[in-house]
Amino acid sequence: MIIATKISEVRAQVAAWKKEGLTVGLVPTMGYLHEGHASLVDKAVEMCDRVVTSVFVNPTQFAPGEDLETYPRDFEHDCTLLKAHGCHLVFHPEVSEMYAQDAATYVEILSEMPKQLCGQTRPIHFRGVCTVVSKLFNIVIPDKAFFGQKDAQQLAIIRRMVQDMSYGIEIVGCPIVREDDGLAKSSRNTYLNSEERQAALVLSKSIFLGQQMVKDGERDADKITAAMRTMIEGEPLARIDYVSAVDGVTMMPIHRIEGSVLVAIAVYIGKTRLIDNFIVEE
């Protein structure tokens, strides 16, 4: 497995692979990898001849006061996991390699889409995401790129960016990977103490409740989100950021379950903000 820290190294290696007629998959990550990330690499290995994984904590998607400095990092562990899952190249740049000191260009979706859900309380987040993913696309020029469904709004926004910017890249969404007790895998789960870790199960329990209501025939999205909200409010350590049902493509609020629908939640457990969701396709 190649470890590259320079853009020029990545471009040279990918060019050599493409000269051989090989397809290239990209898995963008911020590191501190877990089984959820591993599932993306597995899917990329399955669908592509060569796989590039980026490990880069992107500063432009963090607002002042967010957890940029404390975001968990363990590059040695990341490399062990990536090698075990068949990754061919790890791109691990310094911030100065990705952003010049006087960098002044961003990629941003100017519709209401990034203002919904996580964008309500993290207004610059998706501008940073689109900018760094766009840069990674320009550096790697992959045939396919792989993203987790846990970050469903991010996935929808990247799909829209790829469409609007005419990137010839297939975006592959991969299912949420959960712990044995249901909690969605997240690098931020490491912030939780034992009491908070137990309390965090209210997220997945509320997701499973919403899914069951849909399965039982409920189509009133407001009733579903109200029931989920009531369940979460029953956990003393939980503080709701949002519990919302939105159109699965545009991210705009909806009131009935029809077509493609995303039911998404963001909840603080203590100081840690966690997200989860489920999708309905009808």
Side-chain angles (χ1 to χ4, degrees):
M1 188 176 70
I2 301 163
I3 297 174
T5 59
K6 301 294 182 186
I7 291 169
S8 58
E9 296 174 86
V10 178
R11 285 183 165 150
Q13 183 59 67
V14 171
W17 286 336
K18 293 204 168 188
K19 197 172 179 181
E20 294 178 51
L22 302 173
T23 58
V24 177
L26 171 65
V27 181
T29 83
M30 292 212 301
Y32 212 73
L33 305 182
H34 50 67
E35 289 89 341
H37 299 106
S39 72
L40 305 183
V41 177
D42 289 343
K43 180 54 87 170
V45 168
E46 177 189 321
M47 296 182 71
C48 304
D49 298 317
R50 295 291 182 269
V51 174
V52 177
T53 301
S54 62
V55 174
F56 177 64
V57 181
N58 174 43
T60 65
Q61 68 194 65
F62 290 81
E66 291 185 343
D67 58 341
L68 173 60
E69 297 305 321
T70 59
Y71 193 85
R73 295 162 170 86
D74 187 345
F75 186 60
E76 189 175 333
H77 163 80
D78 294 343
C79 287
T80 300
L81 180 146
L82 290 171
K83 190 170 185 179
H85 286 266
C87 177
H88 300 89
L89 187 153
V90 183
F91 180 39
H92 183 49
E94 295 290 336
V95 172
S96 58
E97 181 71 6
M98 289 295 283
Y99 295 104
Q101 213 164 15
D102 59 349
T105 303
Y106 292 90
V107 178
E108 186 171 12
I109 293 175
L110 295 177
S111 70
E112 293 299 305
M113 188 181 194
K115 299 177 185 177
Q116 309 306 311
L117 303 178
C118 290
Q120 295 174 42
T121 51
R122 305 187 73 193
I124 70 161
H125 177 69
F126 290 113
R127 182 182 76 169
V129 168
C130 286
T131 300
V132 76
V133 171
S134 180
K135 288 175 73 69
L136 289 168
F137 285 173
N138 285 331
I139 293 163
V140 179
I141 317 179
D143 298 284
K144 304 178 195 296
F146 298 80
F147 295 87
Q149 189 61 57
K150 184 173 75 73
D151 297 296
Q153 185 178 15
Q154 171 180 279
L155 177 56
I157 284 171
I158 287 167
R159 287 191 194 281
R160 181 58 192 266
M161 179 185 79
V162 165
Q163 175 187 316
D164 289 354
M165 299 297 287
S166 303
Y167 283 116
I169 299 168
E170 179 186 347
I171 302 301
V172 181
C174 301
I176 295 172
V177 176
R178 298 185 179 277
E179 303 282 0
D180 291 341
D181 58 8
L183 183 67
K185 297 266 188 184
S186 170
S187 301
R188 288 188 170 97
N189 290 349
T190 58
Y191 296 160
L192 303 171
N193 63 33
S194 57
E195 186 184 7
E196 290 168 340
R197 174 64 179 76
Q198 192 60 34
L201 293 178
V202 77
L203 277 87
S204 53
K205 287 176 181 175
S206 72
I207 290 293
F208 300 152
L209 170 64
Q211 286 178 311
Q212 189 60 49
M213 290 176 72
V214 172
K215 190 176 178 182
D216 291 343
E218 182 60 70
R219 291 298 175 268
D220 185 327
D222 296 330
K223 285 184 180 177
I224 293 168
T225 54
M228 293 171 65
R229 181 177 286 272
T230 298
M231 175 177 275
I232 297 167
E233 287 171 344
E235 170 50 61
L237 295 183
R239 177 168 60 88
I240 293 171
D241 183 352
Y242 63 77
V243 178
S244 302
V246 299
D247 182 281
V249 176
T250 67
M251 299 290 109
M252 297 305 291
I254 54 94
H255 299 285
R256 284 203 63 76
I257 303 293
E258 51 191 14
S260 175
V261 173
L262 169 68
V263 180
I265 63 176
V267 178
Y268 286 91
I269 302 294
K271 294 181 179 179
T272 304
R273 184 178 179 277
L274 302 174
I275 59 175
D276 205 340
N277 67 76
F278 70 93
I279 291 173
V280 184
E281 298 282 0
E282 298 202 330

